Amino acid sequence: MHKLLPQPADAYRRVDLDARIEASSGSDLTLICLEEAVAALNQALLALERNPTKAPAEPLSRANGIAVWLARSVASENPLATAMQQFYGGLASTITRNMVRASVAELEQARDDFGDFLAAAKAV
């Protein structure tokens, strides 16, 4: 059961995300997570435009959770497992650091890194 979301759009987004996750397989789930990380970081950047002195906790927390999950879920038999774990772990560290004092430049770089990885994954 999900807690009540303050905005109807948040509820619809969550239902849509839950449905996509339920219908996905391993590689599709990774794509969904990368898309959601990019979306969460975009939300954080928009929130920082409105209030540059307050780190946007909810979207940063969501992006951080995704980065941690991705780092932990890399298949050990993948020849790039170590590099991918370091990549995702580095992004998780960057996001965690920005939960206290947000840096637009760092969050834009993290978003772009997720986006580059997403584009590469879709190209495969």
Side-chain angles (χ1 to χ4, degrees), residues 6-120:
Q7 300 292 325
D10 292 338
Y12 287 118
R13 187 189 68 74
R14 182 64 191 212
V15 168
D16 178 58
L17 177 60
D18 288 349
R20 288 179 63 205
I21 289 171
E22 287 289 326
S24 68
S25 63
S27 62
D28 292 336
L29 187 55
T30 299
L31 291 175
I32 291 169
C33 286
L34 291 168
E35 290 169 354
E36 287 297 312
V38 169
L41 290 170
N42 278 331
Q43 287 178 338
L45 289 163
L46 287 172
L48 282 172
E49 282 181 20
R50 290 189 297 273
N51 187 354
T53 62
K54 182 179 178 206
E58 194 278 325
L60 290 178
S61 178
R62 193 168 71 246
N64 186 61
I66 292 168
V68 168
W69 182 86
L70 287 167
R72 290 181 179 167
S73 67
V74 175
S76 59
E77 65 272 4
N78 186 320
L80 297 174
T82 300
M84 291 173 67
Q85 289 167 341
Q86 290 173 347
F87 172 76
Y88 291 132
L91 288 169
S93 293
T94 297
I95 295 165
T96 298
R97 181 175 56 250
N98 278 273
M99 293 171 97
V100 176
R101 182 181 295 187
S103 162
V104 170
E106 286 186 13
L107 293 175
E108 286 175 337
Q109 184 62 55
R111 180 206 50 207
D112 294 347
D113 288 347
F114 274 118
D116 290 346
F117 207 78
L118 174 61

